[in-house]
Amino acid sequence: MAELLLEILSEEIPARMQGRAAEELKRLVCEGLGKAGLEFSKSEAFVTPRRLALVVDGLPLRTPDLKEEKKGPRVGSPDQAIAGFLKGAGLASLDACEKRMVGKAEFWFAVVDKKGAATSEILPGVIVEAIKALPWPKSMRAGTQRFAWVRPMQGIVALLDGTSLSGEFDLGGDKIAFGNTTVGHRFLAPAAFAVSGFADYRAKLEKAFVILDAAARRAKISADASAAAAKLGVKLRDDPGLLDEVAGLVEWPVVLAGAIDEKFMDVPAEVLVTSMRAHQKYFATLNADGSLGRHFIVVANMVAEDNGELIVAGNERVLRARLSDAKFFWDQDRKTKLEARVPALASRVFHAKLGKVLQKVERLEKLSAFIAGKIGADVAAATRAAHLAKADLSSGMVGEFPELQGIMGRYYARHDGESELVANAIRAHYQPLGPGDACPSEPVSVAVALAEKIDTLAGFWSIDEKPTGSKDPFALRRSALGVIRLILENKIRLDLGSVFKWASISVMEQRMLAESVKNLDRVADAMKAAGMAESPYSTRSMGLDMQTRGSLSANRESFELLDFFADRLKVSLKEKGVRHDLIDAVFALGDEDDLVRLLARVEALGAFLASDDGANLLIAARRASNIAGIEAKKDGASYDAPVDAGLLAQAEETELFARLSEVEASVRKAVGVEDFAAAMRALASLRGPLDAFFDKVTVNADDAALRANRLKLLSQIRRTTMLVADFARIEG
């Protein structure tokens, strides 16, 4: 068994693209090996800023000889069909084919002996195709080359069991021949050297100041940075995302420590961290009390002779320039109150079809107040927070650091003397930004955060900009998951259907009002030009029509939004092990838009179906529903009418009818007080009478009246189970 070593050397690959590129290279090469009939035991991909590497173990030196059979047309088929078959099989005549009986007909079969090939002859083609097919978010052409790749390609190492493969890659103007030489660190060991296999390659790279494994570089940075911080009496601020990114920027990480100028320490910690993190890739440190430390950690890709003193000084100088800008914005922004910044939002576009940010703020104020009233939050504080929520977009600091929107709003609100509830809600109204982000819990913050996301969803739904497939340019799925988290983690009782409808009407009215104003302006201009007075009649009818159309559209969109949420909820709960079919079964009732209650129903239903009584009742209820449905379809009739107690002939059907009446009442009562476990227990008591009914009673009796009454009894079983869930949607 042989080993394939592949390395593609290039200019620096952006860190954010490296991980996926390595996995894609592995997938493409492995798929190519599979298509060529080459099996292998193991494959592993590696990436550094300058190289993608792949090692595949356990390859055979030759592919096996194969006998391929291809079925052709019937014997006696037209000449055209025979000719097409022979061409497809690569044969000149039917002399090389066999006749075989298939069923009652005789067919032609082409049997072709395919000789195996040397793996060394197959691999160059597999490698070339994999490199061509490797997808990049962005690519470029170097010089006069016609082939576009992420960065200019510099070399390809392709070895099979230590021997260079014969092959080359055509860049469209230049060609790179496969070889066995590579280079080490760009500055510390730039000379080329030969390698004879993966172990040799990895060891020689390490000697040439290149750590091949990204996980190893990450671990070294983490350990060295923590140690450096500890020496300074501070602690490294946890930042896994930055750690991954920095590991993709260096081949030989060298950790150094610098300090922030004392005069900048009164700037908010988030500003300092963002400035260091986003632009300079520095790690922040924390003091023992959790406050931001003065020291930062920088990772160089170089071993410096002066122990990095010049590197540190240079980085401190760059940071001083950036923080000078930040401090300037911090001092200037506080001279203008947030309230005074709100009118400026009228010139800031939210979306071409949804108007300006100020219009969104106006909707947010109303929707936040509406939601706050429903969840018991301070309505005045929620309205005030919504009014100021977007004001920091006009500040100099957020203009320079957009990722600080909301965060700076909180600082400025506190500076302006707004209450803590309002300030906190301004900061939290974007949250949660993702699965790892904190979820607001203060009621006012929750109300404004819900309003922000629901208004966004309703707005984009109204202009038909919904997520499709993998495309979600406005992050609407994330907004929906944010709403789900806000509701479930805070156990908020909220009828989402009415909130969606309210938000949809609000968006619709605002859009139609804007449109009607434009129309009225046009009419007024025309009438003025004609020397006529404006007609109040046309204005009133336009307003009535607007209201009707808005209400109808809002109804439709609120239903569609609920369906969208059902899908998001299934994705969210599936990760927690909740069965999607149970969510479907409860959503199918059509009247459940309270996520907390829905989850309680799903949990109770899951526990019920896990019991013997639940599983057996599910089977019996399905049987009853199927029989009633099939017979109703066959008869072209409905059996949903009430059962006639006087037509119950056998003791088993009398017992089932009596039990059904009791259970239906018990289930209604239990569901009414949201005691879903009690509702399930009541349903479980149907199992015995239902089993006895199916054992002893013939549904399709000869007497037509008796048969119809028994079908009505079966329909009643479905109606009773539908009080808790649609059992027909439950799998298994």
Side-chain angles (χ1 to χ4, degrees):
M1 292 294 162
E3 172 199 88
L4 167 67
L5 170 64
L6 173 65
E7 182 207 62
I8 306 168
L9 188 73
S10 72
E11 296 289 341
E12 271 74 3
I13 304 168
R16 68 180 187 284
M17 301 181 189
Q18 293 173 9
R20 185 178 174 194
E23 288 306 310
E24 286 292 307
L25 179 67
K26 178 178 163 182
R27 178 184 66 81
L28 289 165
V29 170
C30 292
E31 284 180 1
L33 295 174
K35 286 178 187 171
L38 286 167
E39 296 182 348
F40 55 90
S41 57
K42 193 175 82 171
S43 64
E44 195 171 4
F46 301 89
V47 63
T48 78
R50 296 181 68 203
R51 61 199 88 217
L52 290 172
L54 177 70
V55 58
V56 181
D57 283 330
L59 282 168
L61 291 175
R62 285 187 66 81
T63 57
D65 295 344
L66 296 174
K67 185 182 284 272
E68 287 186 351
E69 289 189 356
K70 187 174 183 182
K71 184 185 173 189
R74 279 189 180 193
V75 175
S77 293
D79 291 346
Q80 196 174 0
I82 297 290
F85 163 60
L86 290 174
K87 185 179 179 184
L91 297 175
S93 73
L94 289 173
D95 295 342
C97 299
E98 297 175 3
K99 295 178 183 175
R100 291 183 196 169
M101 292 299 294
V102 178
K104 294 181 180 177
E106 194 174 27
F107 287 81
W108 287 107
F109 276 82
V111 182
V112 180
D113 290 326
K114 198 171 179 182
K115 289 289 181 188
T119 302
S120 59
E121 294 173 3
I122 296 171
L123 285 177
V126 172
I127 292 169
V128 167
E129 289 307 311
I131 295 174
K132 284 182 181 175
L134 195 65
W136 295 102
K138 289 184 179 177
S139 54
M140 61 182 290
R141 290 180 177 82
T144 57
Q145 295 170 3
R146 293 187 298 278
F147 180 71
W149 223 54
V150 61
R151 292 290 183 271
M153 206 182 293
Q154 296 177 328
I156 298 175
V157 172
L159 298 179
L160 180 65
D161 246 8
T163 303
S164 295
L165 289 168
S166 176
E168 62 184 16
F169 188 81
D170 188 350
L171 294 164
D174 295 319
K175 291 182 180 178
I176 295 181
F178 295 173
N180 66 343
T181 59
T182 185
V183 295
H185 190 281
R186 182 183 289 279
F187 305 111
L188 299 173
F193 55 87
V195 296
S196 59
F198 178 68
D200 183 49
Y201 168 75
R202 188 174 194 161
K204 285 181 176 174
L205 276 183
E206 186 117 4
K207 285 183 183 173
F209 300 96
V210 175
I211 299 175
L212 182 62
D213 192 342
R217 294 197 301 276
R218 190 181 192 279
K220 178 173 172 55
I221 294 169
S222 178
D224 292 355
S226 296
K231 271 187 186 176
L232 297 165
V234 290
K235 182 184 171 189
L236 193 68
R237 181 177 175 273
D238 190 32
D239 196 338
L242 182 59
L243 198 52
D244 287 337
E245 187 175 1
V246 173
L249 295 174
V250 293
E251 289 196 316
W252 191 257
V254 177
V255 166
L256 302 167
I260 304 170
D261 196 316
E262 185 67 45
K263 67 181 179 184
F264 300 119
M265 293 308 290
D266 64 333
V267 178
E270 290 93 335
V271 177
L272 299 179
V273 171
T274 300
S275 188
M276 290 193 290
R277 186 186 191 282
H279 300 288
Q280 304 303 122
K281 314 302 176 194
Y282 299 163
F283 292 90
T285 59
L286 300 174
N287 295 317
D289 61 0
S291 61
L292 189 71
R294 265 198 67 207
H295 295 280
F296 63 86
I297 302 297
V298 58
V299 181
N301 188 31
M302 188 72 189
V303 179
E305 292 179 356
D306 61 353
N307 292 323
E309 287 181 13
L310 272 178
I311 295 175
V312 170
N315 281 281
E316 288 179 338
R317 187 168 57 251
V318 172
L319 184 61
R320 268 197 302 277
R322 288 209 168 273
L323 295 185
S324 294
D325 291 343
K327 184 170 175 54
F328 171 78
F329 290 131
W330 170 241
D331 292 337
Q332 290 298 313
D333 285 345
R334 285 179 293 166
K335 294 177 182 174
T336 304
K337 289 199 167 190
L338 273 183
E339 177 70 52
R341 294 186 183 278
V342 174
L345 299 176
S347 60
R348 186 179 290 271
V349 175
F350 173 67
H351 186 279
K353 294 180 180 175
L354 292 173
K356 305 296 172 58
V357 176
L358 184 61
Q359 290 176 290
K360 181 174 177 65
V361 167
E362 290 168 358
R363 295 196 305 271
L364 270 187
E365 291 175 31
K366 295 173 185 171
L367 187 55
S368 297
F370 179 70
I371 294 174
K374 280 183 168 283
I375 67 173
D378 185 327
V379 174
T383 309
R384 180 67 178 165
H387 177 69
L388 299 174
K390 307 291 183 185
D392 65 352
L393 292 176
S394 305
S395 67
M397 186 73 85
V398 173
E400 181 71 10
F401 303 104
E403 56 272 52
L404 292 177
Q405 55 190 291
I407 294 170
M408 296 315 300
R410 175 172 176 265
Y411 278 108
Y412 298 145
R414 294 173 77 180
H415 179 265
D416 293 348
E418 301 288 346
S419 71
E420 279 297 303
L421 283 179
V422 170
N424 291 339
I426 291 172
R427 186 191 192 290
H429 85 282
Y430 292 111
Q431 293 181 303
L433 289 171
D437 193 25
C439 187
S441 57
E442 282 184 358
V444 172
S445 298
V446 171
V448 184
L450 281 172
E452 154 66 24
K453 292 162 186 61
I454 292 172
D455 175 78
T456 298
L457 288 163
F460 284 103
W461 244 249
S462 75
I463 59 173
D464 202 25
E465 291 278 0
K466 303 164 190 170
T468 53
S470 61
K471 294 181 180 174
D472 186 12
F474 303 108
L476 300 181
R477 292 191 180 98
R478 191 177 71 184
S479 291
L481 288 172
V483 172
I484 291 170
R485 278 191 63 192
L486 283 162
I487 290 175
L488 294 183
E489 291 186 21
N490 292 296
K491 300 190 185 308
I492 292 172
R493 308 304 304 269
L494 191 65
D495 47 339
L496 276 177
S498 69
V499 179
F500 289 161
K501 187 176 176 183
W502 202 99
S504 298
I505 287 175
S506 177
V507 172
M508 202 67 67
E509 282 181 345
Q510 200 177 54
R511 288 184 61 210
M512 288 184 171
L513 185 61
E515 191 60 34
S516 67
V517 167
K518 286 182 192 170
N519 291 336
L520 285 173
D521 286 346
R522 289 191 201 107
V523 171
D525 289 344
M527 293 180 79
K528 189 177 176 183
M532 299 167 64
E534 187 179 350
S535 165
Y537 177 75
S538 62
T539 308
R540 282 201 301 273
S541 35
M542 186 175 290
L544 184 64
D545 180 52
M546 181 181 78
Q547 189 179 20
T548 308
R549 285 163 51 203
S551 179
L552 289 173
S553 299
N555 264 328
R556 186 187 69 242
E557 278 149 19
S558 59
F559 286 133
E560 289 181 0
L561 262 175
L562 266 180
D563 289 342
F564 178 68
F565 262 75
D567 290 339
R568 293 298 94 205
L569 186 66
K570 277 185 269 185
V571 172
S572 173
L573 295 182
K574 187 179 177 184
E575 293 170 0
K576 297 175 182 173
V578 180
R579 285 169 51 180
H580 68 90
D581 56 327
L582 301 189
I583 300 171
D584 270 341
V586 176
F587 250 114
L589 299 179
D591 60 350
E592 188 54 275
D593 60 356
D594 179 332
L595 297 187
V596 173
R597 190 169 58 207
L598 181 143
L599 194 56
R601 273 188 194 238
V602 169
E603 286 174 353
L605 184 60
F608 173 59
L609 294 176
S611 69
D612 285 345
D613 282 346
N616 288 326
L617 182 67
L618 175 65
I619 294 169
R622 277 182 181 161
R623 186 179 175 190
S625 180
N626 288 340
I627 293 171
I630 290 169
E631 296 304 316
K633 190 176 179 182
K634 192 191 300 177
D635 299 344
S638 169
Y639 292 107
D640 286 337
V643 174
D644 184 347
L647 287 176
L648 298 172
Q650 289 182 225
E652 289 78 10
E653 55 185 324
T654 304
E655 169 60 19
L656 178 58
F657 176 64
R659 193 68 201 139
L660 265 176
S661 301
E662 292 172 13
V663 167
E664 186 173 338
S666 301
V667 171
R668 282 188 188 283
K669 184 179 176 184
V671 169
V673 297
E674 301 185 10
D675 187 351
F676 300 112
M680 300 300 169
R681 285 197 297 274
L683 278 181
S685 67
L686 282 175
R687 178 186 168 183
L690 202 49
D691 288 347
F693 176 86
F694 282 123
D695 285 345
K696 303 289 184 183
V697 178
T698 302
V699 176
N700 284 318
D702 293 335
D703 185 320
L706 204 60
R707 172 176 173 273
N709 203 48
R710 287 173 180 171
L711 288 172
K712 290 175 187 173
L713 188 58
L714 295 185
S715 293
Q716 190 178 342
I717 294 170
R718 182 173 186 277
R719 290 199 301 276
T720 305
T721 56
M722 279 291 286
L723 293 171
V724 293
D726 184 350
F727 278 32
R729 291 177 181 259
I730 298 172
E731 297 175 358

